[in-house]
């Protein structure tokens, strides 16, 4: 299987979050060092007054200033603590990248040279993790690394998380920053790509699957899902093998050319 990386949005996000975290840590460290210098100067000034009081046998003043030195030392600025939110975000992005790589590697082992995986396609409606193009058609694949049981009702996705004893500990809706569920996040750019190909003489259906790649992901009771949902690369391969699509080599080459052209156009506009 040939792999073409159109863009690396998760990698770019990870680099951006890491860069912001390092910059914030550097600013916090600079502020800490400035505050520490001021604190040490304040402690030294009180010590000088204390020692002078002792030289002049002003014992009450000396005692008061001795306590003042002790109190001032206790007010030393604390060392900066890394921002846990940024660290958690980095870990989530890394987990997402690992999930995408796992799916790509599994497809690569199972599919031959007549298949192409285009990674990081983007159009005006969003981004698709993987576009799989081959003799049986065109497949849009969105990978989610969700440690939960996922319940689906149309385009409403909910994650239920359980502890090791089977107790429900968390319920939340699964949405992106724009409030879209994984199916909406996939359907919108996939429908736009389908329209783009049709208008250019390639009436190719884009079949769509969301893969829940986390090893503890489960699909709970679902109603009227608007995309296929799987929990492994094998589920993607089942969708591929069951497909009745048929694309010849010449048509695949043209579809691939159009996909790359459309992606490049929207990348230039975004930048």
């Amino acid at each position: 299987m040939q792999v073409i990386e159109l863009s690396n949005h998760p990698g770019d996000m990870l680099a951006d979050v890491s860069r912001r975290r390092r910059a914030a840590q550097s600013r916090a460290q600079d502020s800490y060092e400035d505050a520490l210098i001021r604190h040490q100067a304040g402690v030294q000034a009180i010590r000088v007054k204390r020692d002078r009081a002792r030289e002049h046998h002003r014992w009450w003043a000396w005692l008061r200033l001795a306590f003042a030195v002790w109190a001032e030392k206790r007010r030393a600025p604390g060392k900066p603590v890394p921002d846990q939110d940024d660290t958690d975000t980095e870990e989530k992005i890394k987990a997402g990248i690992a999930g995408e790589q796992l799916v790509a590697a599994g497809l690569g082992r199972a599919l031959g040279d007549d298949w192409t995986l285009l990674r990081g396609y983007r159009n005006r409606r969003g981004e698709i993790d993987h576009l799989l193009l081959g003799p049986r058609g065109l497949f849009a694949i969105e990978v989610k690394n969700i440690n939960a049981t996922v319940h689906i009702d149309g385009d409403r996705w909910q994650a239920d998380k359980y502890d090791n004893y089977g107790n429900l500990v968390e319920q939340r809706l699964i949405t992106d920053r724009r409030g879209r569920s994984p199916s909406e996040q996939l359907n919108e750019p996939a429908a736009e790509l389908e329209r783009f190909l049709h208008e250019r003489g390639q009436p190719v259906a884009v079949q769509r699957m969301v893969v829940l790649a986390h090893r503890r992901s489960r699909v709970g009771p679902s109603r009227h899902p608007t995309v296929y949902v799987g929990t492994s690369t094998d589920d993607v391969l089942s969708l591929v093998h069951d497909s009745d699509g048929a694309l010849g080599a010449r048509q695949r080459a043209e579809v691939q050319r159009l996909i790359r052209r459309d992606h490049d156009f929207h990348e230039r506009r975004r930048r």
Side-chain angles (χ1 to χ4, degrees):
M1 183 184 73
Q2 180 186 10
V3 178
I4 298 173
E5 187 169 283
L6 300 176
S7 66
N8 185 10
H9 182 55
D12 294 341
M13 286 178 59
L14 179 60
D16 182 57
V17 172
S18 299
R19 186 167 49 248
R20 286 192 286 107
R21 176 180 53 78
R22 290 193 299 269
Q25 286 179 342
S26 178
R27 291 193 298 270
Q29 183 66 26
D30 290 344
S31 297
Y32 165 72
E33 290 174 358
D34 290 344
L36 186 60
I37 290 171
R38 292 193 298 270
H39 168 73
Q40 291 171 342
V43 172
Q44 184 60 28
I46 299 172
R47 281 175 175 162
V48 169
K49 292 180 181 178
R50 179 200 62 187
D51 293 344
R52 287 176 179 171
R54 183 175 182 178
E55 289 175 6
H56 293 86
H57 306 292
R58 292 186 287 113
W59 302 113
W60 284 114
W62 171 83
L63 182 61
R64 177 175 55 81
L65 290 166
F67 276 109
V69 169
W70 174 79
E72 186 65 21
K73 289 174 69 175
R74 287 176 60 87
R75 287 195 286 268
K79 292 184 178 180
V81 178
D83 190 327
Q84 192 61 40
D85 287 342
D86 279 348
T87 303
D88 290 345
T89 300
E90 287 179 78
E91 292 305 314
K92 289 177 182 177
I93 295 173
K94 288 177 182 177
I97 292 173
E100 291 183 24
Q101 292 173 339
L102 183 67
V103 171
L107 293 174
R109 288 190 295 269
L111 299 175
D113 294 339
D114 48 358
W115 287 88
T116 301
L117 188 70
L118 299 105
R119 303 185 63 177
Y121 164 79
R122 183 196 299 271
N123 62 29
R124 68 187 183 91
R125 301 301 299 276
E127 183 176 352
I128 299 173
D129 292 334
H130 301 310
L131 287 174
L132 181 63
L133 176 63
R136 290 184 176 270
L138 177 61
F139 303 84
I141 305 165
E142 181 71 20
V143 181
K144 295 297 181 186
N145 197 72
I146 301 172
N147 177 12
T149 298
V150 177
H151 301 270
I152 302 166
D153 186 358
D155 282 322
R156 185 181 185 275
W157 291 50
Q158 178 179 296
D160 290 358
K161 191 167 184 178
Y162 297 85
D163 63 17
N164 293 332
Y165 303 99
N167 300 310
L168 181 64
V169 295
E170 181 187 4
Q171 281 186 317
R172 62 181 177 84
L173 292 179
I174 307 172
T175 60
D176 64 6
R177 287 178 295 179
R178 294 164 58 183
R180 300 179 302 174
S181 67
S183 55
E184 293 171 314
Q185 191 178 344
L186 179 58
N187 276 326
E188 290 182 7
E192 178 66 17
L193 173 60
E194 199 171 79
R195 180 196 63 78
F196 172 81
L197 294 174
H198 284 209
E199 290 179 353
R200 284 151 185 82
Q202 297 296 331
V204 178
V206 180
Q207 301 188 63
R208 305 148 196 191
M209 172 172 275
V210 173
V211 179
L212 305 174
H214 195 282
R215 61 187 178 86
R216 293 182 178 175
S217 289
R218 300 290 184 272
V219 181
S222 301
R223 297 194 311 165
H224 314 299
T226 61
V227 296
Y228 294 100
V229 183
T231 56
S232 70
T233 306
D234 288 342
D235 292 324
V236 180
L237 295 172
S238 295
L239 176 63
V240 169
H241 293 150
D242 292 343
S243 172
D244 56 3
L247 297 178
R250 182 176 297 180
Q251 188 177 13
R252 294 200 303 271
E254 178 61 14
V255 169
Q256 181 176 314
R257 185 189 70 81
L258 289 171
I259 289 172
R260 297 187 70 163
R261 169 185 154 191
D262 188 46
H263 171 82
D264 291 344
F265 170 77
H266 287 96
E267 277 292 279
R268 287 194 298 270
R269 290 192 64 182
R270 186 175 69 91
R271 291 170 181 167

